[in-house]
Amino acid sequence: MLIVAVAFLIFLLMGMPVAFAIGISGVLFFLQHPELPPTIPIQLTITQTQNFALLAVPLFIMAGNFMNKSGITEQLLNLAAVLTGRMKGGLAQVSIAMAALMGGVSGSCIADAAMQTRMLGAEMMKRGFSKGYAAAVLSFGSLLTPIIPPGIGFILYGTVGQVSIGRLFAAGFVPAFLLWAAMAITITITAKKRGYLPERKKAPSPGEVFEALRGGIWALLFPVFLLLGLRMGVFTPSEIGAFAVVYAVAVGLVIYRRLHRAAIGEALEGSLADVGAVMFLIALSGIFGYGIVFERVPELISSAILGVTDNLHGVLALIVVFILIAGCFVDGTVLIIMLTPIFLPLVRELDGDPVHFGLIFIIAATIGNFTPPVGSAMYAVCSILRCPVGAYTRESVPFFIAVTAVTLLLIFLPDVVLFVPNLIFGAY
């Protein structure tokens, strides 16, 4: 398995697409074991795509694309500006607020980071923000997106680890607001030193707040409807993905009336590309995952960690540190698919809550999208702003420290994560 892991890293450093790096390195494992039937890699690839629960992934991706084309993004931008425009940092604060509001719409941190950069990046430059600072804010702000329903990471983790997706959805709300607060405080401190002014000179009137809320209410109600549907047993996780698509189309056609033929075509085209990339990655991960199980890698890693400490909090902290380091080299989606079967059994062995661990795991894995050398969201933002990665890296350090501190804090405060799931679905 060592040769497979080394080959995987070499392929990544060569710039090979992640899905091919996983698939080809996984095939190397079977070349090392000629006693295994050569048809297994093909069977594994097909089997990975036959999981009914994974149907929620393409449906939520499609719903997010329809919501983005419906005109709801502009309404949320207006709401974010009204709510946070008076805070120090101006558009930086607006960006973080919008990321929190957009979490229930896009579900993808990379899509959210790219979209916000196109909307706010140029305006931030005009207001005197440095490219590196603007890129860091726009990139790290999208961390909120995958942990507010319907985050795709929750669906992947819940499917692979057999964990309630409804409880995972509910677990994201409180941590999301803690992360929002941490980044807002970081912006306030850094903006004060740099002299970045508020976007608005006076507080909004009650009428302005009401109008902004009315415009964005359909996006704000989206995750609420998802959780209610799951809690009341109206939908399964896969069925609620279909409801999300119907909801997004209805909002675009009836409420905002912005979802015309061209927008529908663009949404379908974008969904096709996104779904193809994610499902191809999931399919080829089955080849790689077979070798992990065959070589008993989960047991070996569990033994190594337990050799350091058998305290649940200590183990979770070690896992988070490992994921943060791995996230510098491997995409967050890949980490969720590959490492869930390794770490989740260990957490369960120590009587840890799989929902609590899942939330921490997904935050830590998502942070990898914002760190060099392979951060997908980082490159999306830097390419749009034409920002050097070095400048981005220097400016992102305060935000990395802030979100890592919140992640480590959540390890020792499981009730903060589990409060909403227990309130909605009941305690275990």
Side-chain angles (χ1 to χ4, degrees):
M1 199 64 195
L2 178 61
I3 295 176
V4 174
V6 171
F8 174 65
L9 291 175
I10 291 174
F11 291 148
L12 286 181
L13 294 174
M14 290 170 57
M16 181 181 290
V18 176
F20 289 106
I22 289 176
I24 295 173
S25 58
V27 169
L28 290 178
F29 172 80
F30 289 90
L31 295 178
Q32 290 180 275
H33 295 79
E35 72 276 9
L36 295 174
T39 57
I40 291 182
I42 300 173
Q43 294 171 347
L44 290 170
T45 303
I46 297 173
T47 303
Q48 284 291 102
T49 63
Q50 304 305 301
N51 191 328
F52 183 75
L54 283 178
L55 184 60
V57 173
L59 290 172
F60 276 121
I61 289 175
M62 187 181 297
N65 281 311
F66 276 119
M67 291 286 273
N68 288 334
K69 294 295 181 181
S70 69
I72 207 166
T73 303
E74 289 81 0
Q75 300 290 342
L76 291 177
L77 177 58
N78 180 53
L79 176 58
V82 169
L83 294 177
T84 63
R86 278 280 293 159
M87 300 174 66
K88 291 186 183 297
L91 280 181
Q93 297 284 9
V94 173
S95 169
I96 298 297
M98 188 179 175
L101 297 174
M102 282 294 295
V105 177
S106 69
S108 166
C109 70
I110 300 170
D112 180 70
M115 180 187 63
Q116 285 215 53
T117 303
R118 291 189 180 95
M119 293 182 66
L120 299 176
E123 289 300 317
M124 292 177 78
M125 299 297 100
K126 290 178 183 178
R127 284 162 173 76
F129 288 82
S130 70
K131 282 187 178 182
Y133 187 87
V137 170
L138 292 165
S139 180
F140 271 85
S142 62
L143 172 62
L144 303 173
T145 303
I147 60 174
I148 297 176
I152 302 302
F154 284 142
I155 300 171
L156 295 175
Y157 171 83
T159 302
V160 174
Q162 297 297 301
V163 181
S164 168
I165 293 176
R167 295 182 70 88
L168 288 167
F169 279 175
F173 283 105
V174 175
F177 282 101
L178 289 176
L179 287 165
W180 180 2
M183 284 188 278
I185 292 170
T186 303
I187 290 172
T188 299
I189 295 172
T190 54
K192 185 176 180 179
K193 293 180 179 179
R194 296 164 175 268
Y196 296 150
L197 300 175
E199 188 66 14
R200 297 171 61 100
K201 294 182 178 179
K202 61 180 182 178
S205 66
E208 287 180 296
V209 174
F210 176 77
E211 285 299 316
L213 282 171
R214 189 176 68 170
I217 191 65
W218 295 103
L220 301 179
L221 289 176
F222 186 38
V224 176
F225 288 151
L226 296 183
L227 286 174
L228 285 177
L230 289 171
R231 176 64 184 87
M232 297 174 68
V234 178
F235 306 109
T236 66
S238 298
E239 292 168 346
I240 205 151
F243 163 77
V245 174
V246 173
Y247 182 89
V249 172
V251 168
L253 290 176
V254 180
I255 306 298
Y256 297 113
R257 300 180 182 179
R258 294 275 297 274
L259 202 60
H260 304 302
R261 180 180 297 179
I264 292 174
E266 291 173 3
L268 290 174
E269 183 179 351
S271 299
L272 183 64
D274 294 341
V275 171
V278 173
M279 296 308 295
F280 190 52
L281 178 62
I282 292 173
L284 293 182
S285 70
I287 305 174
F288 197 97
Y290 184 90
I292 291 175
V293 175
F294 188 87
E295 296 286 358
R296 301 179 63 190
V297 173
E299 290 88 342
L300 294 174
I301 294 179
S302 297
S303 299
I305 292 177
L306 291 176
V308 177
T309 177
D310 59 359
N311 177 269
L312 176 61
H313 295 148
V315 168
L316 291 176
L318 287 175
I319 291 175
V320 166
V321 171
F322 177 85
I323 294 170
L324 289 174
I325 295 172
C328 293
F329 306 98
V330 184
D331 183 75
T333 302
V334 178
L335 291 177
I336 293 171
I337 295 171
M338 292 174 56
L339 297 183
T340 297
I342 294 177
F343 290 133
L344 184 55
L346 172 59
V347 172
R348 281 180 163 145
E349 182 182 336
L350 297 173
D351 295 325
D353 189 288
V355 174
H356 174 233
F357 170 67
L359 187 281
I360 294 168
F361 180 21
I362 289 166
I363 292 176
T366 304
I367 291 174
N369 287 298
F370 318 126
T371 54
V374 296
S376 302
M378 174 193 72
Y379 282 119
V381 171
C382 288
S383 63
I384 295 171
L385 293 181
R386 293 184 173 87
C387 173
V389 174
Y392 164 88
T393 303
R394 287 192 301 272
E395 299 282 16
S396 66
V397 170
F399 299 97
F400 179 80
I401 293 172
V403 298
T404 302
V406 173
T407 306
L408 293 174
L409 181 65
L410 290 173
I411 290 175
F412 299 95
L413 298 173
D415 290 339
V416 171
V417 176
L418 299 175
F419 171 73
V420 176
N422 290 342
L423 184 65
I424 297 176
F425 296 94
Y428 279 128

